[in-house]
């Protein structure tokens, strides 16, 4: 059977909500703290009491402008808020303050590898509260702490063609919001939420197929799985002679399947209208300039610079620039070492350092070894003063110290105190070599007879005798010399 | 364009209100009167040059600094709720969102 799936092209657009890292809510001074006891971060404004007035948090605008600028959006000079009306108990006002026809950021684009994904719009809005349904059969409980927490919604163009691209796009967005320091990017905790619009069409067709909206994608894995399932479902439906109907689906992560949500009797009717309680947001050229000039070096630019400046493979550069802090750490190491050691430093950061971060589930800011001390360790290796094996031993010692202020973390000191320096003093090594040869006369005989592969055996014995401290290069030379002499 | 009883019913439903047949007819009449008034306004010459009024204030950029403050206690927050538990507002079960 010819693969039916290859005849079709999926068309995907993503709507991503990012919860902003502001200290206070969008329109009132309540704290945005996560996991506070229920209904303790609330005030008359976010509880929707009559007679209260919202006042916009400056950082909400500041943060969205950072992302808008970083994604090449055009920034609307004057934008307004709108009320999106719907009824739900976790929305006490009966409307969500959002933006409708005048979003603050529009027409942006981002690059995923060689591909460009368009950004339709990025707008500001507020989050709703949380309803708990499973406590009783006929009642729901409502916690309004999250009500009014600032969100931005990032709507992509339908430029995404498969689940891999969707995954990469999300990964890039996550990295970007973390770099810009506007959102913690934690999808599992709901700081990033994703809905997908999916349709399929025959390859070459111009018209889009009928789309379905898939909601509740709360992990990167789920997004990819849900898209794969939904694409397959639509293609199979069409192949069977059916027709895709516009509906909203939810993703059942356990069965890896999209299932239709119970359809509403009423179609969406949000009756948007301009929010009369908030004034126009005016972003002049000066503000735009301030934002552009205050942006940090963006991830893709940093990656490119790392490849050139530190002469690293693309893979290394991408791993090291995953987060600003990790990149800064790597650079603090490189500042103190020679050009020839950059790759060694990269191997250490990507290997031993990241292994510890993963094991301890911490970020580099919580890592106890300073860049300065790691640089000192790399230098010891580069200068041939310790071997890689001994370096790992020194590293373990460094890990057990309290932090960079702890003088015990200095690798020079560890190496001296524990007497771990490689012995390059030839007389000292030669003594050991002679002893080993004398102790193994039969093997020495066979070596001289041409069984040169026995060199390894001698090197091993000498290294063992020297407790791993003999410089392997020197050992090699001395054994060949001494065995040849006789 | 005139308002039908169906329109009245739809708006009532969105607003979670219930009306008797008699009330619906009354509301239909009132809504048509409002729309008739709008129709009259729409006949003013040169209206297409008038920008929609988005805000009656002339000011722009009224902001708060991003500082968090303690506001209500849980007890105060829940005080006016018709139904509550120790920690939560309690509402009749609504499932669809």
């Amino acid at each position: 059977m010819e693969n039916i799936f290859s005849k079709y092209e999926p068309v995907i657009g993503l709507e991503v909500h990012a919860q902003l890292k502001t200290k206070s809510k969008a329109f009132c001074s309540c704290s945005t703290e996560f996991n506070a006891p229920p209904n303790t971060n609330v005030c008359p404004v976010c509880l929707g009491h009559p007679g209260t007035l919202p006042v916009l948090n400056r950082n909400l605008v500041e943060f969205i402008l950072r992302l808008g600028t970083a994604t090449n959006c055009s920034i609307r000079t004057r934008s307004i808020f709108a009320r999106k009306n719907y009824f739900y108990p976790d929305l006490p006002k009966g409307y969500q303050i959002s933006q409708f026809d005048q979003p603050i950021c529009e027409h942006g684009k981002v690059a995923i590898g060689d591909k460009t994904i368009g950004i339709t719009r990025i707008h500001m809005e507020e989050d709703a509260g949380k309803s708990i349904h499973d406590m009783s059969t006929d009642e729901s409980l409502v916690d309004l702490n999250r009500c009014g927490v600032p969100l931005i919604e990032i709507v992509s163009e339908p430029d995404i063609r498969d689940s891999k691209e969707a995954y990469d796009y999300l990964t890039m967005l996550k990295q970007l919001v973390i770099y810009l320091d506007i959102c913690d990017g934690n999808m599992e905790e709901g700081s990033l939420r994703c809905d997908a619009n999916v349709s399929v069409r025959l390859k070459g067709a111009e018209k889009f197929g009928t789309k379905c909206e898939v909601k509740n994608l709360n992990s990167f894995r789920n997004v990819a799985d849900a898209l794969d399932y939904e694409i397959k479902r639509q293609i199979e439906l069409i192949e069977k002679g059916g027709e895709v109907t516009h509906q909203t689906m939810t993703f059942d992560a356990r069965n890896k399947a999209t299932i239709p949500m119970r359809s509403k009797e009423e179609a969406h009717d949000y009756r948007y209208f301009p929010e009369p309680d908030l004034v126009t947001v005016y972003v002049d050229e000066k503000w735009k300039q301030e934002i552009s000039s205050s942006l940090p070096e963006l991830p893709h630019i940093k990656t490119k610079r790392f490849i050139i400046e530190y002469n690293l493979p693309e893979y290394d550069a991408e791993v090291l620039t995953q987060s600003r802090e990790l990149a800064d750490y790597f650079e603090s190491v490189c500042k103190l070492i020679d050009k020839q050691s950059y790759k060694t430093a990269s191997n250490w950061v990507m290997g031993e350092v990241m292994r510890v971060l993963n094991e301890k589930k911490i970020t580099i800011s919580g890592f106890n070894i300073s860049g300065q001390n790691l640089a000192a360790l790399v230098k010891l290796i580069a200068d041939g003063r310790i071997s890689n094996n001994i370096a790992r031993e020194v590293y373990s010692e460094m890990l057990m110290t309290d932090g960079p202020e702890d003088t015990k973390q200095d690798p020079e000191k560890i190496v001296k105190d524990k007497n771990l320096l490689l012995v390059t003093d030839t007389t000292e090594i030669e003594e050991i070599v002679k002893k080993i040869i004398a102790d193994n006369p039969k093997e020495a005989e066979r070596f001289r007879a041409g069984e040169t592969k026995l060199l390894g055996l001698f090197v091993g014995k000498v290294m063992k005798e020297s407790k791993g401290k003999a410089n392997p290069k020197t050992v090699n030379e001395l054994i060949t010399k001494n065995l040849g002499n006789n | 364009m005139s308002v039908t009883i169906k329109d009245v019913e739809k708006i009532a439903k969105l607003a979670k209100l219930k009306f008797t047949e008699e009330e619906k007819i009354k509301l239909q009449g009132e809504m048509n009167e409002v729309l008739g008034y709008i129709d009259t306004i729409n006949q003013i010459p040169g209206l297409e040059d008038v920008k929609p009024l988005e805000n009656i204030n002339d000011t722009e950029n009224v902001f708060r600094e991003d500082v968090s403050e303690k506001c209500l206690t849980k007890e105060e927050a829940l005080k006016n709720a018709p139904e509550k538990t120790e920690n939560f507002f309690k509402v009749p079960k609504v499932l669809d969102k």
Side-chain angles (χ1 to χ4, degrees), chain A residues 38-40 42 47 88-92 128-133 135 139-147, chain B residues 74 78 81 83-94:
Chain A
N39 295 307
T40 53
V42 289
L47 290 174
Y88 204 73
D90 59 21
L91 188 76
K130 220 189 295 180
S131 307
I132 301 158
H133 298 298
M135 301 289 275
E139 279 155 342
S140 295
L141 301 180
V142 184
D143 170 12
L144 295 177
N145 278 345
R146 208 179 55 190
C147 209
Chain B
K74 180 183 70 189
L78 295 172
E83 295 279 343
K84 60 195 157 195
T85 67
E86 197 193 332
N87 298 313
F88 293 96
F89 294 93
K90 203 156 80 176
V91 296
K93 192 149 242 177
V94 198

Side-chain angles (χ1 to χ4, degrees), chain A residues 306-321:
Chain A
F306 272 36
I307 295 173
I308 297 164
E309 197 171 327
Y310 300 110
N311 195 23
L312 295 176
E314 192 179 341
Y315 175 79
D316 291 41
E318 275 174 6
V319 174
L320 294 169
T321 54

Side-chain angles (χ1 to χ4, degrees), chain A residues 24 56 78 133 278 282, chain B residues 55 60-61 64 66 87 93:
Chain A
S24 62
L56 180 57
R78 284 188 166 78
H133 298 298
L278 288 161
Y282 171 54
Chain B
N55 205 290
E60 291 170 330
N61 287 359
R64 282 180 25 245
D66 183 20
N87 298 313
K93 192 149 242 177

Side-chain angles (χ1 to χ4, degrees), chain A residues 6-165:
Chain A
S6 61
K7 293 197 305 199
Y8 291 87
E9 175 183 60
V11 175
I12 302 161
L14 295 182
E15 291 172 16
V16 177
H17 283 90
Q19 192 180 307
L20 298 181
K21 268 171 78 171
T22 55
K23 293 187 185 70
S24 62
K25 290 186 181 180
F27 305 112
C28 62
S29 305
C30 291
S31 166
T32 53
E33 172 198 9
F34 185 69
N35 270 343
N39 295 307
T40 53
N41 288 332
V42 289
C43 76
V45 175
C46 53
L47 290 174
H49 284 198
T52 56
L53 278 178
V55 186
L56 180 57
N57 184 338
R58 180 191 295 274
N59 273 353
L60 171 47
V61 185
E62 189 80 23
F63 286 8
I64 197 169
L65 289 178
R66 281 191 210 163
L67 185 64
T69 309
T71 53
N72 312 292
C73 283
S74 55
I75 309 292
R76 189 183 290 272
T77 309
R78 284 188 166 78
S79 59
I80 60 161
F81 287 93
R83 289 187 181 179
K84 179 181 178 177
N85 298 279
Y86 66 89
F87 174 83
Y88 204 73
D90 59 21
L91 188 76
K93 294 196 301 298
Y95 57 86
Q96 177 192 31
I97 302 179
S98 180
Q99 292 194 288
F100 182 49
D101 57 345
Q102 300 177 36
I104 190 161
C105 306
E106 284 175 297
H107 316 305
K109 57 177 193 297
V110 290
I112 309 293
D114 299 330
K115 175 154 182 169
T116 303
I117 310 277
I119 304 282
T120 314
R121 57 184 282 162
I122 311 177
H123 70 251
M124 304 178 265
E125 59 185 34
E126 59 175 338
D127 211 343
K130 220 189 295 180
S131 307
I132 301 158
H133 298 298
D134 47 12
M135 301 289 275
S136 99
T137 46
D138 47 1
E139 279 155 342
S140 295
L141 301 180
V142 184
D143 170 12
L144 295 177
N145 278 345
R146 208 179 55 190
C147 209
V149 166
L151 297 177
I152 54 176
E153 181 173 339
I154 306 139
V155 182
S156 87
E157 289 288 302
D159 289 342
I160 299 166
R161 290 292 170 268
D162 56 37
S163 61
K164 168 81 169 56
E165 272 179 23

